[in-house]
Amino acid sequence: MIMDFRKRTGTALAGLALAWTAMAQTVVVSGTCPDTDPETLSLHIVGVGGDDRQSPVKATVQGSHFSAEITTSTNGFYLIAGAHNGGQLLLPVYWPQERKRKPLTLRLADGTPMVSGDDDNEALSAYNRFTYSQSRTLWNDRQRVMTVGLKPFLMRYQQVADSIAARANCVESVRQYIRLWAMADATTAYDAIPRALDVGSSVVDFPLNDLMPADADRLMQSPLVVSHAPLVRTIMAGLPKAGLIQKLQALYDGYTNPVIRECVADRMVSSWISRFNFADNYDAGLAELSSAVDKFKLDRRILSDFTSRRALTKGAPFPDNVSLVDVNGQQVSLKQFSGKIVYVDLWASWCVPCIKEVPYLQQLERELNGSDIAFVSVSIDTKADAWKKKMAALNMSGHQFLCQDNAISKAYNVQAIPFFLIFDREGCLLMANAPRPSHPELKSLLERLATEKAAK
């Protein structure tokens, strides 16, 4: 299968010692970090790629020691991520469960985390050091990049990766990981050129395919490809623009490895659900998704994820599983506004675009005061104190509610806030993703809805 890379949609520790102890289904990661400041050190560790569906585990740091127990990675690769003294830490390491090893030592070299102790991890660290340096140059030294030339600069990712893979005495999976890593880096950098160098996109006058190795198609069949998000997006972008079942069929025809199939199918279906028009096509969408789940043996939890958004269909009542509380912590319901048109503003204290809409909302509420329209603001803040503090700062009054578990965002498939909804007098959905308060036509829309419903 020929991958068209033009169709695309993306690391510090000094003297840090690691000791990994394999147990049944977990790995205990522990070590020392004598040359770091424990007050500013933060570490998270997680298995990457394969069929892992893990969340990063925060390591416990006490003095110069740290430890974390994480789920064992099926392919032996783990990611250490964190921060120290304001600097970002990011480093993949290879520690297969079946192999016993001496503890690794992580050191900081020019702000880049590096490990020593075995050929596999030294190879990963060698490429890590290069990509740190390459990224700094791309974003901070425009003159150097332009002097070298865009194409030669970007081709360095694969050249360095190939050189390390060729000379390092490491296992084949580590070689594949490094070469795929370079492909992912080149893809990310290629897309970032206009922003990083503050130039027009026309400056990039060569296709991404020119940066890929001759055996790119073979590499893209490796299950390790799912360890690199930019390459997963490349696979998704290379699928035909067709219905869900047709796209899945193309994926299964092009990739036989179950790890790739599962990972890409999962992300593709999640993306499909997030963009689906629930308001008008719920039944047809459920039928299509059910067929896809049956045909390709997908996780049936996907169907639950879809049906949980049924509240987005026109005329659907406000979902029972969404809990709202007022400033006193008392349970409230939109049913209390029965008989009125309800305009809901979904926001959060940390959301700058949301805050910019508040004055417009307050003005609209004043202008429509006394009408059959209720204005309700629902915050998705996880901390009530932050919500209350921001309300006071913005002089927000009226109907202010909190949905602390953010269940409302899932129910209404919210991808970004602010997000606005309009409900009829019976509490049923009239419009999702409604115009925001600053929109010049919102006032007349609300007035018309209030008048039409009142007349009925």
Side-chain angles (χ1 to χ4, degrees):
M1 178 181 182
I2 302 299
M3 293 303 305
D4 186 353
F5 283 87
R6 288 168 291 186
K7 298 178 181 178
R8 62 198 182 283
T9 47
T11 312
L13 304 173
L16 180 63
L18 292 179
W20 304 64
T21 303
M23 297 189 296
Q25 298 297 324
T26 63
V27 172
V28 174
V29 184
S30 63
T32 59
C33 40
D35 299 325
T36 60
D37 179 2
E39 296 298 320
T40 66
L41 177 64
S42 174
L43 285 179
H44 290 78
I45 306 173
V46 64
V48 296
D51 58 0
D52 307 299
R53 296 184 181 183
Q54 306 178 30
S55 296
V57 175
K58 185 174 183 178
T60 300
V61 179
Q62 294 181 328
S64 62
H65 298 272
F66 77 93
S67 64
E69 182 175 350
I70 62 176
T71 304
T72 303
S73 169
T74 56
N75 61 22
F77 288 92
Y78 297 85
L79 185 67
I80 298 177
H84 181 249
N85 287 334
Q88 182 188 18
L89 319 179
L90 195 63
L91 175 67
V93 293
Y94 182 62
W95 200 266
Q97 188 177 16
E98 68 277 5
R99 187 188 304 179
K100 294 186 179 299
R101 298 188 173 189
K102 296 178 181 179
L104 300 175
T105 300
L106 275 74
R107 303 186 185 282
L108 188 63
D110 299 326
T112 306
M114 307 275 288
V115 300
S116 59
D118 63 73
D119 295 331
D120 295 323
N121 285 292
E122 288 178 7
L124 289 167
S125 291
Y127 182 78
N128 198 48
R129 186 169 188 173
F130 163 75
T131 192
Y132 258 68
S133 175
Q134 187 86 334
S135 180
R136 293 190 188 106
T137 301
L138 175 62
W139 290 94
N140 301 320
D141 195 344
R142 179 181 183 275
Q143 184 61 42
R144 181 179 174 187
V145 176
M146 298 305 287
T147 299
V148 171
L150 292 181
K151 189 171 182 179
F153 179 83
L154 295 180
M155 289 182 70
R156 287 283 291 159
Y157 287 106
Q158 205 64 51
Q159 292 168 351
V160 171
D162 288 347
S163 175
I164 292 172
R167 71 173 187 266
N169 184 28
C170 54
V171 298
E172 179 58 26
S173 60
V174 171
R175 292 192 181 93
Q176 285 187 3
Y177 188 99
I178 292 172
R179 300 188 68 222
L180 286 165
W181 186 359
M183 290 169 63
D185 281 347
T187 301
T188 301
Y190 181 90
D191 287 337
I193 285 290
R195 291 179 292 112
L197 303 183
D198 193 24
V199 296
S201 58
S202 60
V203 173
V204 185
D205 58 357
F206 53 91
L208 182 58
N209 271 351
D210 286 1
L211 307 178
M212 298 299 125
D215 61 344
D217 289 346
R218 181 185 66 82
L219 282 172
M220 290 294 287
Q221 295 290 339
S222 166
L224 290 173
V225 75
V226 303
S227 300
H228 305 282
L231 300 184
V232 173
R233 292 194 292 271
T234 294
I235 292 175
M236 292 173 61
L239 297 174
K241 297 185 182 303
L244 179 61
I245 292 179
Q246 290 76 17
K247 291 172 76 76
L248 284 167
Q249 189 62 62
L251 169 66
Y252 277 60
D253 289 343
Y255 297 87
T256 58
N257 189 281
V259 173
I260 299 178
R261 286 177 169 183
E262 180 180 359
C263 175
V264 178
D266 181 69
R267 299 190 191 188
M268 182 167 53
V269 173
S270 294
S271 177
W272 181 84
I273 291 176
S274 70
R275 291 172 170 78
F276 188 77
N277 180 7
F278 287 86
D280 301 316
N281 302 309
Y282 177 85
D283 290 335
L286 180 57
E288 183 177 7
L289 185 59
S290 297
S291 295
V293 168
D294 291 339
K295 179 178 177 63
F296 299 101
K297 306 288 192 293
L298 304 179
D299 192 330
R300 299 196 68 82
R301 286 178 296 182
I302 292 172
L303 295 175
S304 298
D305 188 30
F306 185 90
T307 56
S308 67
R309 292 163 166 78
R310 187 161 193 164
L312 266 170
T313 58
K314 290 181 180 179
F318 192 79
D320 293 332
N321 65 334
V322 174
S323 175
L324 306 178
V325 297
D326 61 18
V327 293
N328 298 315
Q330 299 297 311
Q331 291 283 334
V332 292
S333 170
L334 290 190
K335 293 179 181 179
Q336 69 188 68
F337 303 109
S338 179
K340 292 180 176 288
I341 298 296
V342 183
Y343 181 77
V344 176
D345 167 22
L346 190 59
W347 73 294
S349 64
W350 42 262
C351 170
V352 174
C354 300
I355 293 169
K356 289 182 178 180
E357 289 296 322
V358 170
Y360 294 100
L361 181 62
Q362 292 171 330
Q363 178 181 349
L364 190 63
E365 193 166 1
R366 288 193 298 269
E367 293 176 352
L368 296 178
N369 183 38
S371 66
D372 283 344
I373 303 170
F375 293 89
V376 177
S377 293
V378 177
S379 169
I380 60 171
D381 277 283
T382 56
K383 296 181 179 180
D385 288 345
W387 168 52
K388 294 177 181 179
K389 182 178 179 180
K390 183 59 68 174
M391 281 195 298
L394 297 174
N395 195 29
M396 297 175 70
S397 57
H399 306 299
Q400 301 294 328
F401 302 148
L402 176 66
C403 182
Q404 210 160 356
D405 63 1
N406 199 16
I408 191 170
S409 293
K410 183 175 182 180
Y412 289 104
N413 207 32
V414 177
Q415 303 301 307
I417 54 175
F419 189 86
F420 304 92
L421 302 130
I422 301 177
F423 295 87
D424 65 19
R425 297 175 186 273
E426 289 73 44
C428 296
L429 184 67
L430 275 175
M431 184 182 298
N433 199 17
R436 56 182 58 196
S438 58
H439 195 289
E441 297 181 5
L442 176 60
K443 181 180 178 182
S444 60
L445 170 64
L446 292 175
E447 289 176 327
R448 184 171 69 254
L449 289 172
T451 301
E452 289 175 354
K453 294 295 181 179
K456 291 181 181 180

